[in-house]
Amino acid sequence: MSFRTKLLLIVLLTIAASVTVVAYGVTHYTRAAFEEMDAERTEALVAQFNKEFAQRGEEIAQRARNIAEATFTERMAIDLSHPNADQSLWVRDAIGSAQEHGLDYVEFVNHDGVLISSAQFPARVGYKNDWVTSVKNWNESKAFLQKEELPDGVSLSLTVVRTNNTVADKSLYIIGGQRLDKNFLSSLVLPSGMRALIYTNLESSFVPGSLLGEKVESDQAEHFGPLVEQIQKQPQPLVRTIDWTRDPADAESFHAIPLMGRNNELLAIFFVGSSRKELVLLTNKIVKTAAAVGGAALFVGLLIAFWISARITKPVEELAEAAREVAGGHWDIRIEVSGSDEIGQLAAAFNDMTKTLAAQKERLVQTERVAAWRELARRLAHELRNPLFPMQITIENLQRARQLDAKQFLEVFHESTATLKTELANLNSIVSRFSDFSKMPAPQFARVNVNEALRNAVRLFEPQFNEVGKPTITPELFLTEPLPEIDADPDLLHRAFQNLVLNALDAMPAGGTLTLRTSEHDGHVRIEIADTGKGLTPEECSRLFTPYYTTKLQGTGLGLAIVQSVVSDHHGTVSVISDEGRGTSFRIDLPQRQAGVTPAPREAASEPKSTPSTLAAASD
């Protein structure tokens, strides 16, 4: 991934993350504010319910007090105080009192708890209401919730009890009440988006018809069953959200408040519903706005980031291209310096660096050239001194032989001329080897079977592996089959393999194992030639391919230099791995195909053209 792409991604991700965080924050705080406002509205509605409950209770209490203080009630109390009073005379008076005072429920209970008259359930006359007589003074008590039994079921009543004390110690109890139903809820002033419901049947099973309120459909009532059951198990306020449809805007949050009776028993549940439509619509609007703002910000950010990245990366790309040119050997490359910022300073520093490198390269080339000539002179002096010294001695012997007689002089003459011819041949061989290295031919590429070339190279040295009187050398070949053919010069490749095998043999004067391996790696063919000789030091490994460098007492130091030259001409690599005391391994990696080269057809393998005797002097 390029730097420009990374910069663009970083800018875009930063903008997207910022917009997302802001949108989340706004949505979160909007939701929190809505929940807080909803809680406040619910508290206000509950307070209104409690206020209406108290006011309605005071009205019922006043009406019950009026009944208790009425003249006919006094007469009833006096009459019922007589022994053997006829209670049937007053059976229907509760109905008239309820109609006259606007109450839904009115009952008269005698001082002994016997029900005298009932407006809502006349059939219960004669039953005893012991809970009424358990309290001596009802006149100061407030209204309370009570479950009223009716001929057709059960109803919830806001009830007040008052007493008529006309006859001492024989009070007459008046029970008055009004239904707590939809008419009571209609008196509440509901804010927009809210509604109030009341559940009045607290039997063990949920009864949808007992859920009272405006806009309550039968299929909606079923959703309240789990809430009712939970409050029945543990009477305490709770909040639940009901999803009516898959659309979140149709959902409602309900605050469920249990309503307790006089003895702290659960008698009803008051539900305050709040629509979440406003919150959902507002949240959606925030999300859409954030998406629009984010899209615009991303577009603007993309343009800015592209401009910035282009401004930054273009000079960097120019620097990278110039660096590649320098790596390719173009030391005089320069780049244009624009501006005085960090990029401009970097460009100026690069130009200074290439200028310094070019100067240092020239000095290094001159130094290396001088060092190479010195090394060449040293090697030539060493190589030429060996034959020149015996030649000088021979000539001196000839000069001294002039004083001898003819027969002795002739004998010395023939011996000296033979020596001179031999040493002149050595001189000619030395000059030829140096000349051959300087005139390494360009490779003529053809399709070559590497395994076959290696076998031919090893076959050339088979007589030396088991030579009588010398330690045995065991060749081991681990050749991958089939191995792809490569584009190579068969003669040059054969020469390189021979030099490496000969170098391995020279490294094992006490015998050992010669190992040859081939393998395929990512479009390249790898050749490894290893010996079990004494190995090399790290310093020797670093100078091993330098021309004229050798680790042997005899040799020109050209063998491995020739190997490196051949491998380099084939666009391959050669390396050495050595463990001192254990042996040395040479590794060659050659490409299977040479770019831009059409190799000649593969010819039949032929026997090597060279022999070990002709190569011995060229090895390290």
Side-chain angles (χ1 to χ4, degrees):
M1 184 182 295
S2 65
F3 174 76
R4 177 179 297 183
T5 304
K6 291 180 181 179
L7 183 60
L8 290 174
L9 286 177
I10 290 173
V11 172
L12 294 180
L13 289 176
T14 302
I15 294 175
S18 301
V19 173
T20 302
V21 169
V22 171
Y24 174 78
V26 172
T27 304
H28 175 75
Y29 287 113
T30 300
R31 189 181 300 275
F34 181 87
E35 299 293 349
E36 184 178 356
M37 180 183 68
D38 183 64
E40 291 176 355
R41 294 196 305 175
T42 300
E43 291 179 1
L45 187 58
V46 171
Q48 185 185 167
F49 175 84
N50 292 332
K51 183 178 180 181
E52 183 68 21
F53 189 92
Q55 289 179 351
R56 189 70 60 90
E58 291 177 358
E59 292 178 1
I60 296 171
Q62 182 61 44
R63 294 174 185 180
R65 184 181 299 109
N66 292 339
I67 295 175
E69 294 175 354
T71 302
F72 83 91
T73 305
E74 292 180 355
R75 288 200 304 269
M76 183 187 302
I78 294 172
D79 185 49
L80 292 174
S81 66
H82 296 157
N84 300 320
D86 186 4
Q87 298 178 358
S88 61
L89 299 175
W90 311 99
V91 168
R92 300 190 59 84
D93 286 2
I95 297 174
S97 297
Q99 294 174 350
E100 181 180 353
H101 293 277
L103 294 175
D104 296 321
Y105 309 119
V106 174
E107 288 183 334
F108 293 99
V109 179
N110 201 3
H111 61 86
D112 56 1
V114 175
L115 181 62
I116 302 301
S117 179
S118 175
Q120 65 270 22
F121 202 165
R124 292 184 65 249
V125 171
Y127 285 78
K128 295 194 69 174
N129 290 344
D130 292 332
W131 64 270
V132 179
T133 59
S134 62
V135 178
K136 296 301 182 182
N137 186 11
W138 283 100
N139 290 331
E140 300 300 328
S141 65
K142 296 181 179 180
F144 56 88
L145 284 179
Q146 179 172 286
K147 186 188 297 184
E148 288 289 346
E149 294 184 4
L150 303 176
D152 56 351
V154 179
S155 177
L156 190 64
S157 169
L158 181 58
T159 302
V160 173
V161 179
R162 291 293 181 261
T163 58
N164 181 288
N165 298 319
T166 301
V167 180
D169 298 331
K170 291 186 178 180
S171 299
L172 180 64
Y173 299 94
I174 296 89
I175 304 174
Q178 285 186 338
R179 290 189 184 90
L180 198 65
D181 54 13
K182 291 194 296 185
N183 294 330
F184 180 85
L185 296 177
S186 63
S187 63
L188 301 178
V189 180
L190 300 176
S192 176
M194 299 188 71
R195 60 173 172 166
L197 309 174
I198 192 168
Y199 182 75
T200 59
N201 190 327
L202 296 177
E203 301 298 331
S204 57
S205 59
F206 177 73
V207 180
S210 297
L211 186 65
L212 308 178
E214 296 293 333
K215 303 178 182 179
V216 180
E217 300 177 3
S218 59
D219 57 337
Q220 288 186 344
E222 296 289 348
H223 290 79
F224 290 87
L227 279 76
V228 172
E229 293 175 358
Q230 185 172 351
I231 292 180
Q232 285 178 333
K233 294 177 181 178
Q234 190 174 5
Q236 63 180 13
L238 58 84
V239 181
R240 290 288 185 275
T241 298
I242 298 179
D243 297 315
W244 302 117
T245 64
R246 293 184 177 180
D247 186 359
D250 294 335
E252 281 185 279
S253 292
F254 282 93
H255 293 253
I257 302 168
L259 301 178
M260 314 305 289
R262 182 174 60 87
N263 295 322
N264 206 33
E265 74 277 16
L266 180 64
L267 294 181
I269 302 174
F270 181 54
F271 292 99
V272 178
S274 178
S275 174
R276 302 186 69 82
K277 184 175 183 179
E278 294 180 1
L279 175 62
V280 172
L281 294 179
L282 182 59
T283 302
N284 291 340
K285 187 174 182 179
I286 292 173
V287 172
K288 291 179 180 178
T289 304
V293 172
L298 287 175
F299 178 73
V300 175
L302 181 64
L303 295 178
I304 295 175
F306 185 81
W307 179 77
I308 294 175
S309 63
R311 185 175 178 84
I312 293 176
T313 57
K314 185 176 179 181
V316 174
E317 289 174 353
E318 292 178 355
L319 280 170
E321 181 62 28
R324 284 190 287 269
E325 291 289 333
V326 171
H330 302 284
W331 298 79
D332 57 345
I333 190 72
R334 298 290 185 273
I335 59 175
E336 182 180 353
V337 178
S338 58
S340 58
D341 55 7
E342 290 81 357
I343 300 297
Q345 295 174 11
L346 180 60
F350 179 85
N351 289 337
D352 293 340
M353 179 194 70
T354 55
K355 182 179 179 181
T356 303
L357 286 175
Q360 290 180 350
K361 176 191 176 185
E362 185 62 28
R363 289 194 296 270
L364 182 61
V365 168
Q366 294 176 3
T367 302
E368 288 181 346
R369 187 180 296 117
V370 171
W373 278 110
R374 286 178 177 174
E375 180 65 20
L376 177 59
R378 187 187 69 81
R379 294 301 304 169
L380 281 174
H382 175 76
E383 293 292 332
L384 296 176
R385 188 179 289 114
N386 290 333
L388 287 176
F389 181 73
M391 290 174 67
Q392 180 182 357
I393 298 298
T394 302
I395 293 172
E396 290 176 353
N397 287 337
L398 280 174
Q399 289 176 343
R400 286 193 295 269
R402 291 176 60 188
Q403 302 174 2
L404 301 175
D405 56 41
K407 183 178 180 180
Q408 290 177 333
F409 176 78
L410 187 61
E411 184 179 343
V412 172
F413 177 78
H414 286 299
E415 182 181 349
S416 298
T417 54
T419 301
L420 288 173
K421 287 181 179 179
T422 300
E423 297 304 331
L424 285 173
N426 288 339
L427 282 173
N428 187 56
S429 176
I430 293 170
V431 173
S432 297
R433 290 197 300 271
F434 278 91
S435 178
D436 289 343
F437 179 69
S438 66
K439 296 186 297 183
M440 287 288 294
Q444 301 298 317
F445 292 103
R447 292 292 166 86
V448 175
N449 186 314
V450 175
N451 289 342
E452 187 176 345
L454 274 176
R455 291 189 185 98
N456 288 338
V458 173
R459 192 178 299 118
L460 185 65
F461 295 91
E462 285 180 350
Q464 299 184 29
F465 293 155
N466 299 293
E467 189 174 353
V468 178
K470 290 187 177 181
T472 301
I473 294 177
T474 304
E476 293 183 354
L477 280 70
F478 301 93
L479 308 180
T480 300
E481 294 288 359
L483 190 68
E485 293 182 343
I486 66 171
D487 296 341
D489 186 313
D491 293 334
L492 293 178
L493 200 61
H494 186 78
R495 185 176 181 183
F497 291 164
Q498 284 180 333
N499 281 349
L500 287 175
V501 173
L502 183 59
N503 187 78
L505 296 181
D506 291 341
M508 297 184 290
T513 302
L514 173 66
T515 304
L516 297 96
R517 298 177 185 272
T518 59
S519 58
E520 182 183 2
H521 294 274
D522 300 327
H524 287 70
V525 169
R526 175 169 294 175
I527 304 102
E528 296 181 68
I529 300 177
D531 61 62
T532 56
K534 65 178 182 179
L536 301 169
T537 64
E539 182 182 358
E540 290 173 336
C541 289
S542 64
R543 301 180 60 191
L544 202 56
F545 296 102
T546 304
Y548 318 120
Y549 174 79
T550 180
T551 60
K552 306 169 186 176
L553 297 177
Q554 300 293 330
T556 62
L558 296 177
L560 292 180
I562 291 173
V563 171
Q564 187 180 51
S565 176
V566 171
V567 173
S568 177
D569 288 344
H570 284 73
H571 303 98
T573 59
V574 58
S575 59
V576 59
I577 301 173
S578 186
D579 189 357
E580 195 170 0
R582 295 187 178 181
T584 304
S585 175
F586 289 88
R587 176 182 294 172
I588 298 175
D589 286 311
L590 297 175
Q592 294 181 18
R593 298 290 172 264
Q594 299 290 336
V597 173
T598 303
R602 179 174 178 266
E603 299 179 359
S606 60
E607 290 299 320
K609 300 177 182 178
S610 304
T611 63
S613 61
T614 62
L615 293 169
S619 66
D620 279 344

